[in-house]
Amino acid sequence: MTVEKNPQSADANSTRYWRENVKLLGLLLSVWFAVSFGAGILFVDVLNKIEIGGFKLGFWFAQQGSIVAFVILIFVYTARMHVLEKRFGVSDE
Amino acid sequence: MDTQTLTYIFVGLSFALYIGIAVWSRAGSTSEFYVAGGHVHPIANGMATAADWMSAASFISMAGIIAFSGYDASVYLMGWTGGYVLLALLLAPYLRKFGQFTVPDFIGERYYSKTARVVAVICLIIISFTYIAGQMRGVGVVFSRFLELPIEWGVVIGMGIVFFYAVLGGMKGITYTQVAQYCVLIFAYLVPAVFISILMTGNPVPQLGLGSDVVGSDISVLARLDGALVDLGFTAFTEASKSTADIFAITLALMVGTAGLPHVIVRFFTVPKVSDARRSAGYALVFIALLYTTAPAVGAFARLNFIGSVHEKPYAEAPDWVKTWEGIGLIAWMDKNGDGVIQYGPGAPFDGRASYTDDMGVNGERLLANTPTDNANEILVDRDIMVLANPEIAGLPPWVIALVAAGGVAAALSTAAGLLLVISSSISHDLLKKTFRPQITEKTELLAARGAAAAAIVVAGYLGINPPGFVAQVVALAFGLAACSLFPAILMGVFFKDINREGAIAGMVAGLVFTLGYIVYFKSPWFGATNTADHWLFGISPEGIGAIGMAVNFVVAGLVARFTAKTPLAVRQMVDAIRIPAGAATPTSTH
């Protein structure tokens, strides 16, 4: 056993924290899927009919927009988890 | 000063910097050697991860691939960045909380099995060596093009530098060297991109320049490029030529593969806290995105410039760079219709690789021995030259060219060093200390780690000088294997407590056999299989098959786990502890 046993590991608080985390993950990963596989691949032809700032929208998502969205997603997750960990008292800070 | 002297100065100065950092940050313990003592600041780790991640392929080849395949190249842009979302959300924080040294460490402990650990080590070594051969080659290529040294010399010099700081400094030395290498490579990438964007569109931000109007017209860069390509008979730049299913599968395999690459994952073992692991993945992606969002602009500008400077131009009046790269053998022109004018179009201008005769044609071009094809295209261009030739094409000053050379070397060296480290730590730590010789002291383990790093450098150098034709064709292999083996095993280890030892091992082996089998079947010369869409499973190319391999892994692991002994209670408690950030310890070797 290399990881210290956490006395409160299996208690209700931890379980609720984990459920909230998984819910948040589901939400953020849906956005992850929508901007890349959705806008950049599956619906690219439809979105390409719209043109903004010299870019066909589908093409823009595939080569620029999805990458920007990925960065935002990670920082949103970091911020939300910070709040969640404080709320459940499981923060390491 | 001429370009070559400047290049020697720039590359030499960058080497001096790396060596200086290596001496300053020598590793004194296994913890420092494997994970830099776990004290790296998240921003520094983000930069190091970005340098680790962006290889010679990202720096030199990617913009060229985008230039010549347009929308289809989106698979690399999305695939190689989207993986960081998976890493930050699903893997990094939990692996940091687990608090050990290597990826096989986690798999071995979570699945309470030396067999699982050894399977993970085998995956890791195949993935890392496939990857590293290309890096050493990249160093050799940059040296040969800019310093006019033979490729072999370039590889040997690169080996020497990496040897010095990887063996001496371990993860600690590599991390701080990579921070410096990131700065060199991003500066070298952005300077020419900004210059070219200003020249073409007047907009200094390449990401915006891509959609801006070409100077002196009211047509945007992309629209003009689409028009020029369609006129020549190509698919438009912004349109797909691959099938949607294939693009989907390749993107998924690259994303998941990215998240499962051991040299990337291990970077998140080096930060002090669980929250730092998440934040650090975010910073890493910011630093990566800086280059990845610039690449499409560089690619589009380069293609437009290329068409403008060669199509329907008499060879005698072609710009100097055409002749320079023709001299090195990366551009070839065959005057098929004998009019002395270069025509550019879709399709190969002649059969096979360019094979030059020693004679010159009437226009002064190098004559070719190849059989011409019956299309109108007369010019062959190696897409790897786009980033390297871009400063020349745009007429930028020699110091920019020297800077690009130093950036290319930094990109290749930083990735090679990261890979060498995971190879050496998996040998000294996972195989020696944790599997075969548990009685060795920390001092012996550290010595073994340095020895393994040295041996791995020699093997990598050999592969760089004598690249097996097979490896060059299977870059997909590294990502496919990471996607089908390591990523699912780690993910299930954190999120599904019911996946037990038997399930995980069966899943990894099934995913690996399926993916490896599919790639070898289509990519190797042994089976004589036709590598075209009609013959692929669900229309998915070998590049994308890792996505299916991952699904195979999940299904097999789930089924096997259902019908075998439950995961022991102690392991379930360990998973509970990993899920909670509180109580993360700094990795030590005294557990």
Side-chain angles (χ1 to χ4, degrees), chain A residues 1-6 8-10 14 17-18 21-22 25 28-29 32-33 35-37 40-42 44-45 48 51 53-56 58-59 61-64 66-68 70-71 73-75 77-78 81-82 85 89-93, chain B residues 66 70-71 74 77-78 81-82 84-86 88-90 94 98 100 109 207 210-211 220 222 226 237-239 244 247-248 251-252 255 273-275 278-279 281-283 285-286 289 293 296 495 570 573-574 576-577 579-582 591:
Chain A
M1 202 55 186
T2 49
V3 172
E4 239 183 292
K5 267 186 218 167
N6 193 325
Q8 41 157 242
S9 60
S14 304
Y17 162 78
W18 184 249
N21 176 28
V22 171
L25 287 177
L28 295 177
L29 288 177
W32 165 80
F33 185 87
V35 293
S36 51
F37 294 96
I41 298 177
L42 297 173
V44 68
D45 292 331
N48 273 349
E51 201 165 307
F55 289 97
K56 290 180 181 172
F59 177 83
F61 265 107
Q63 300 216 334
Q64 307 266 299
S66 56
I67 302 177
V68 175
F70 295 153
V71 171
L73 280 173
I74 298 181
F75 283 107
Y77 182 62
T78 304
M81 285 308 275
H82 184 77
E85 279 158 13
V90 292
S91 170
D92 62 342
E93 297 185 45
Chain B
I66 298 168
Y71 169 80
S74 310
L77 292 164
M78 288 188 282
T81 53
Y84 280 85
V85 177
L86 301 177
L89 269 55
L90 303 175
Y94 310 109
F98 172 68
Q100 292 290 308
E109 301 270 342
Q207 287 84 341
L210 182 58
S220 78
L222 284 171
D226 275 352
F237 191 78
T238 54
E239 300 290 331
T244 304
I247 289 183
F248 191 100
T251 306
L252 185 58
M255 279 190 188
K273 288 182 305 221
V274 175
S275 49
R278 292 187 204 111
R279 200 172 308 144
Y283 289 128
L285 190 56
V286 169
T293 53
F495 287 85
Q573 284 170 340
M574 180 186 98
D576 281 329
R579 289 176 174 183
I580 304 294
H591 53 269

Side-chain angles (χ1 to χ4, degrees), chain B residues 44-54 84 264 267-268 280 284 288:
Chain B
N45 189 52
M47 277 194 194
T49 309
D52 210 335
W53 176 239
M54 294 191 285
Y84 280 85
V264 176
R267 293 237 47 103
F268 297 95
S280 184
I288 293 167

Side-chain angles (χ1 to χ4, degrees), chain B residues 285-300:
Chain B
L285 190 56
V286 169
F287 296 129
I288 293 167
L290 213 51
L291 189 145
Y292 274 46
T293 53
T294 308
V298 172

Side-chain angles (χ1 to χ4, degrees), chain B residues 143 160 170 188 236 337 353 369 434 496 529 536 561-562 585:
Chain B
F143 269 89
N337 57 3
R353 296 164 67 94
K434 292 293 186 153
F496 301 96
W536 295 335
R562 251 189 99 122

Side-chain angles (χ1 to χ4, degrees), chain B residues 182-408:
Chain B
Y182 176 77
C183 298
V184 172
L185 84 86
I186 198 68
F187 187 64
Y189 204 84
L190 293 181
V191 166
V194 168
F195 267 123
I196 295 170
S197 186
I198 294 173
L199 283 175
M200 289 195 69
T201 66
N203 193 326
V205 183
Q207 287 84 341
L208 300 175
L210 182 58
S212 304
D213 293 345
V214 179
V215 169
S217 77
D218 53 2
I219 306 170
S220 78
V221 171
L222 284 171
R224 154 122 9 145
L225 186 53
D226 275 352
L229 288 174
V230 171
D231 285 347
L232 290 171
F234 289 94
T235 309
F237 191 78
T238 54
E239 300 290 331
S241 65
K242 285 189 165 99
S243 77
T244 304
D246 199 22
I247 289 183
F248 191 100
I250 297 176
T251 306
L252 185 58
L254 292 177
M255 279 190 188
V256 175
T258 300
L261 282 180
H263 71 285
V264 176
I265 294 177
V266 79
R267 293 237 47 103
F268 297 95
F269 288 53
T270 66
V271 294
K273 288 182 305 221
V274 175
S275 49
D276 291 336
R278 292 187 204 111
R279 200 172 308 144
S280 184
Y283 289 128
L285 190 56
V286 169
F287 296 129
I288 293 167
L290 213 51
L291 189 145
Y292 274 46
T293 53
T294 308
V298 172
F301 296 152
R303 186 77 178 277
L304 201 52
N305 266 332
F306 176 75
I307 297 172
S309 27
V310 302
H311 185 57
E312 293 299 344
K313 290 277 182 311
Y315 178 85
E317 292 165 27
D320 284 343
W321 58 265
V322 171
K323 286 150 197 172
T324 316
W325 293 94
E326 186 187 17
I328 301 170
L330 295 165
I331 285 183
W333 176 59
M334 185 184 269
D335 193 10
K336 295 201 283 198
N337 57 3
D339 62 357
V341 176
I342 303 170
Q343 273 93 25
Y344 177 56
F350 43 75
D351 288 333
R353 296 164 67 94
S355 118
Y356 301 93
T357 65
D358 289 332
D359 299 322
M360 299 292 235
V362 288
N363 303 297
E365 81 274 24
R366 295 179 72 186
L367 287 178
L368 295 147
N370 304 66
T371 321
T373 50
D374 50 14
N375 60 43
N377 184 24
E378 297 185 334
I379 190 158
L380 181 78
V381 55
D382 184 309
R383 58 194 188 184
D384 279 356
I385 73 173
M386 276 303 151
V387 165
L388 302 177
N390 230 347
E392 297 169 65
I393 297 178
L396 299 179
W399 67 267
V400 179
I401 300 169
L403 187 62
V404 170

